[in-house]
Amino acid sequence: MQNTGFDSRLHRLEADLEEALAVVYPNQQDLDVWLTRLVDVARRAYEARPDTLKALDDRREKADLNWFQSEQMLGYMCYPDRFAGDFKGLKAKIPYLQDIGVTYLHLLSVLKARGGDSDGGFAIEDYLNTNANLGTIDELEALTADLRQAGISLCLDFVLNHTAKEHKWALRAAAGEKSYQDYYYMYPDRSIPDQQEPLLEQVFPATAPGNFTYVDACKKWVWTTFYPYQWDLNYHNPAVLVAMLEKLLVLANKGVEIFRLDAVIYIWKELGTPSRNLPQTHALLQVFRAVVSMAAPAVALKAEAVAGARHITKYFGSAGSRKRECQLAYHNAAMAALWDSLATGDVRPAAEMLQALPQKPEGTSWIYYARCHDDIGWGALRDRQGAGWGASEQHLNYLWRFYAGEVEGSFARGERFQQVPGEAYAGSNGTLASLAGFEAALDANDDEAMDLAMKRMILMHAVPMALDGIPLIYMGDEIALLNDYNYDKNPGGQDGRWLHRGAMPQDFEVINTPHAVAGRVMLAAIKQLVAARKAMPTLNARNPVHYLPVNNTHVLAFMRTAPEHEMLCLANFSGSEQAVDPEFIQSILGSHVLDKNPLDDNSIAEWKLGPYQCRWLFKKN
Ligand code: GLC
């Protein structure tokens, strides 16, 4: 009898699943029982999967399993309420997204979060329902279908490290039910928390110091890496893994195509260790990948691994067909490195780091971005272990000061994030436009400064669009949205990241303030970049990136190489014109080079780059 798709995938993936489970639970007597439970979860999810999604699975399995690598991909992320009001409003915005060329939409803060402060929606009370102000889960399902129809895949956060303290498991744990207390890390007194605390990082040292919270109702301490109302889940208990996978697959069957696995570096805790990036974390992700691939192969997992640069590639898993983890991962190190280059005008540290990182494995894509809803964390640049590169503490302190506008000559208007009195280290908040100098230029009514700021904003989009992954636009950056200085009036307004989570103006297309006009120019420039990207198959993420040393410290240079084409990207991170040695370019591309700079049709007479200019040079092999 012909195997169903599920059975053949089970046959292919079961050994992976078993092997990964054995790493996570080496002492579990009844591993077979859990293996059977997980396969059962996958099978039931597959059986419940709507036909249209099974058809998508088939299409992608047959022809396009690496669909997310295509140069046609363009991501956009937003808070639905701040972008469009609710799910209905979002449907009405589909033409806007299509017009930009978006094929992947990441909606933040959709699943039912606790009331009041919820860490921007990352404290989930109910994974299978949506926030009431947006609409119902059925409306979300309908929206995924409308988006798919328009060629857009929906991405949602799957917050798997913790639940809200109002989640029903947490309520039952607090009420004293032992079996639910085992869903979390709970301790009767401070002895374990006191031993652990010095080993752990503080994610929010200013607004949520410490990693453990006292729960009065049950007189226990619970592990809380983030805010005290976010209780870390205990994956040492296989029941947690099974229950979370079940929820993820219900959402996959509603039509979610990409899951952003939130705060993934923390999901496994081991006493006596810093409990970040542990081998079991990777094995757990292998379990997630195997189960999801069995039940819903069209779905991709995306790692939000905010870790040192040397760690992030590992979240793809290994290069072969075994031990696979996420298909997608944020390149937070590249993001921070681009901002570093923009502040100093010197690309050498960025190039050195990016060059030193391993190529990602086949069948994967990076997510490249300039801004997102979080702060710019500079920690990724500090990671020097074993690599011979890495920024000094002094330099990192320079960077957040620069972006807080505290350095003489800085163009930026941002704010420092989570700095503890007496300690130097901080992150940086602010929108792309405010950090890139547009806000200050607008206030000063300085046309020249505005022009330079626009060029910086375009550069910060142009480089991600030429790299080996999906470029992601953060809501409002495409129209030069400025910081929201009223953020402290929002729920959770003590958390400075709300500075760059302002609402999208609904009237920018029709009003004629200098800001709105500049916003429209920016949007037009981005559309041109997107169109140029989509016309270049060389930019498919399967084609590797090679960073090249150039004889100019302001110019980041990298090659994209495909069998039929080669592309050289040159990006000037300084505010003045820069020359590039013609021999360097000719040695790489030969003399018949086409200038594919989408923002400048002139052919290159001289090998020069204007202030903050990015050029894409192209050659047919
Ligand atoms: C991720 C989110 C961030 C949130 C944290 C805890 O890093 O991007 O916004 O605060 O996880 O859920």
Side-chain angles (χ1 to χ4, degrees):
M1 199 181 78
Q2 175 93 33
N3 271 348
T4 65
F6 181 85
D7 286 330
S8 61
R9 292 193 294 269
L10 174 62
H11 181 69
R12 184 158 46 80
L13 295 163
E14 197 173 14
D16 272 11
L17 178 58
E18 193 173 353
E19 214 174 286
L21 269 184
V23 173
V24 186
Y25 305 122
N27 303 320
Q28 189 82 30
Q29 299 301 316
D30 42 5
L31 204 59
D32 280 355
V33 175
W34 291 107
L35 177 63
T36 309
R37 285 276 300 276
L38 283 171
V39 170
D40 212 47
V41 165
R43 187 187 297 277
R44 275 186 289 114
Y46 169 75
E47 281 164 4
R49 194 156 167 80
D51 287 342
T52 46
L53 296 177
K54 281 186 178 163
L56 181 69
D57 291 337
D58 281 351
R59 265 205 314 283
R60 288 197 174 150
E61 273 207 299
K62 286 199 185 99
D64 205 12
L65 210 47
N66 296 333
W67 54 281
F68 46 80
Q69 290 187 316
S70 165
E71 71 285 354
Q72 303 302 315
M73 292 295 293
L74 177 74
Y76 190 90
M77 73 186 288
C78 66
Y79 288 93
D81 55 340
R82 288 160 177 257
F83 179 61
D86 55 15
F87 295 144
K88 287 199 187 77
L90 261 172
K91 182 172 177 184
K93 284 278 192 184
I94 290 177
Y96 174 79
L97 296 170
Q98 278 182 305
D99 194 36
I100 301 176
V102 171
T103 61
Y104 143 152
L105 177 65
H106 172 195
L107 296 182
L108 288 147
S109 198
V110 167
L111 300 181
K112 189 167 188 307
R114 72 190 292 267
D117 188 6
S118 62
D119 185 20
F122 285 91
I124 309 281
E125 182 182 305
D126 180 353
Y127 288 78
L128 302 184
N129 274 302
T130 48
N131 285 316
N133 63 321
L134 299 177
T136 64
I137 187 88
D138 293 340
E139 285 173 315
L140 176 69
E141 183 170 9
L143 178 67
T144 67
D146 291 331
L147 287 167
R148 208 167 13 261
Q149 184 77 30
I152 301 175
S153 300
L154 185 79
C155 168
L156 278 197
D157 295 288
F158 193 70
V159 186
L160 71 171
N161 178 67
H162 46 264
T163 72
K165 74 179 172 68
E166 289 76 10
H167 188 279
K168 67 177 185 229
W169 300 337
L171 293 176
R172 294 180 76 164
E177 278 187 60
K178 169 82 177 76
S179 57
Y180 284 97
Q181 291 183 346
D182 287 344
Y183 274 49
Y184 300 93
Y185 294 93
M186 293 194 126
Y187 305 103
D189 54 40
R190 282 289 311 177
S191 52
I192 289 183
D194 284 345
Q195 285 164 30
Q196 267 313 110
E197 197 68 77
L199 300 171
L200 303 177
E201 201 176 47
Q202 302 263 342
V203 180
F204 300 138
T207 50
N211 282 276
F212 298 88
T213 300
Y214 188 63
V215 184
D216 203 30
C218 61
K219 310 257 175 291
K220 287 186 192 289
W221 291 88
V222 65
W223 199 313
T224 51
T225 300
F226 295 90
Y227 281 100
Y229 51 75
Q230 289 164 305
W231 292 11
D232 287 39
L233 284 165
N234 173 14
Y235 284 92
H236 287 259
N237 177 357
V240 171
L241 174 61
V242 170
M244 291 303 281
L245 265 164
E246 251 165 352
K247 291 181 195 309
L248 185 146
L249 290 174
V250 170
L251 295 168
N253 283 354
K254 302 274 178 215
V256 177
E257 291 180 42
I258 300 159
F259 288 93
R260 173 186 176 279
L261 301 183
D262 181 64
V264 83
I265 69 171
Y266 302 99
I267 58 176
W268 188 266
K269 275 90 177 166
E270 207 58 53
L271 296 182
T273 77
S275 295
R276 297 192 300 273
N277 306 305
L278 294 177
Q280 294 92 332
T281 303
H282 290 284
L284 262 183
L285 289 175
Q286 288 158 26
V287 172
F288 268 83
R289 173 69 182 267
V291 171
V292 173
S293 298
M294 281 177 198
V299 167
L301 301 177
K302 173 172 68 157
E304 193 245 349
V306 180
R310 80 201 148 96
H311 287 291
I312 52 180
T313 317
K314 297 181 188 153
Y315 284 86
F316 291 124
S318 65
S321 59
R322 312 287 310 278
K323 299 195 176 175
R324 293 200 157 175
E325 298 179 27
C326 297
Q327 290 95 328
L328 306 168
Y330 286 91
H331 207 319
N332 66 295
M335 180 274 295
L338 295 184
W339 283 105
D340 181 354
S341 307
L342 199 67
T344 62
D346 182 353
V347 303
R348 282 172 299 182
E352 231 175 78
M353 178 194 72
L354 293 168
Q355 225 163 29
L357 293 181
Q359 292 286 343
K360 60 182 180 49
E362 60 165 277
T364 61
S365 247
W366 288 111
I367 302 288
Y368 289 105
Y369 59 115
R371 291 298 291 118
C372 71
H373 69 294
D374 283 327
D375 58 305
I376 302 173
W378 301 109
L381 304 180
R382 185 172 39 189
D383 190 1
R384 40 169 84 235
Q385 221 168 316
W389 49 263
S392 65
E393 291 297 318
Q394 195 190 5
H395 185 62
L396 298 186
N397 289 330
Y398 171 83
L399 290 173
W400 66 253
R401 286 206 176 89
F402 183 92
Y403 285 110
E406 294 171 19
V407 166
E408 183 70 35
S410 164
F411 47 74
R413 291 251 181 105
E415 290 182 0
R416 51 175 94 172
F417 182 54
Q418 293 292 336
Q419 196 181 32
V420 180
E423 279 195 30
Y425 182 73
S428 295
N429 287 323
T431 65
L432 172 69
S434 294
L435 294 176
F438 188 68
E439 186 181 320
L442 200 60
D443 278 356
N445 205 3
D446 179 339
D447 286 346
E448 208 177 307
M450 259 191 269
D451 182 52
L452 277 180
M454 295 283 283
K455 290 191 158 88
R456 290 187 200 104
M457 290 188 269
I458 292 167
L459 175 69
M460 293 298 274
H461 280 100
V463 175
M465 284 204 207
L467 286 166
D468 54 340
I470 305 177
L472 182 59
I473 299 173
Y474 179 55
M475 178 183 109
D477 286 349
E478 77 278 22
I479 56 159
L481 192 68
L482 303 179
N483 288 339
D484 173 10
Y485 290 104
N486 289 318
Y487 72 86
D488 53 356
K489 298 183 187 73
N490 296 325
Q494 298 318 307
D495 184 318
R497 289 172 297 174
W498 288 92
L499 182 65
H500 49 261
R501 296 175 182 173
M504 195 68 176
Q506 297 305 318
D507 55 358
F508 87 95
E509 275 166 315
V510 289
I511 56 173
N512 281 325
T513 59
H515 185 189
V517 172
R520 294 199 287 268
V521 172
M522 181 73 197
L523 185 57
I526 287 185
K527 285 187 200 164
Q528 263 183 285
L529 273 173
V530 173
R533 167 182 160 80
K534 293 194 181 204
M536 273 192 230
T538 319
L539 294 180
N540 185 300
R542 74 171 165 252
N543 299 322
V545 176
H546 296 285
Y547 292 89
L548 304 167
V550 198
N551 68 333
N552 186 322
T553 58
H554 305 295
V555 177
L556 184 69
F558 57 85
M559 269 318 267
R560 299 295 309 279
T561 315
E564 289 120 36
H565 309 102
E566 278 178 289
M567 193 190 123
L568 174 66
C569 177
L570 296 171
N572 175 9
F573 277 80
S574 83
S576 50
E577 193 178 77
Q578 298 297 328
V580 177
D581 181 359
E583 272 176 30
F584 161 79
I585 295 174
Q586 280 169 15
S587 71
I588 292 167
L589 294 178
S591 47
H592 299 291
V593 173
L594 301 174
D595 184 1
K596 290 294 265 196
N597 174 26
L599 303 177
D600 170 12
D601 284 337
N602 304 329
S603 62
I604 300 183
E606 295 180 88
W607 300 109
K608 287 212 171 107
L609 296 164
Y612 301 114
Q613 193 183 16
C614 180
R615 280 188 145 157
W616 298 353
L617 310 177
F618 183 70
K619 181 189 129 190
K620 258 198 160 89
N621 279 338

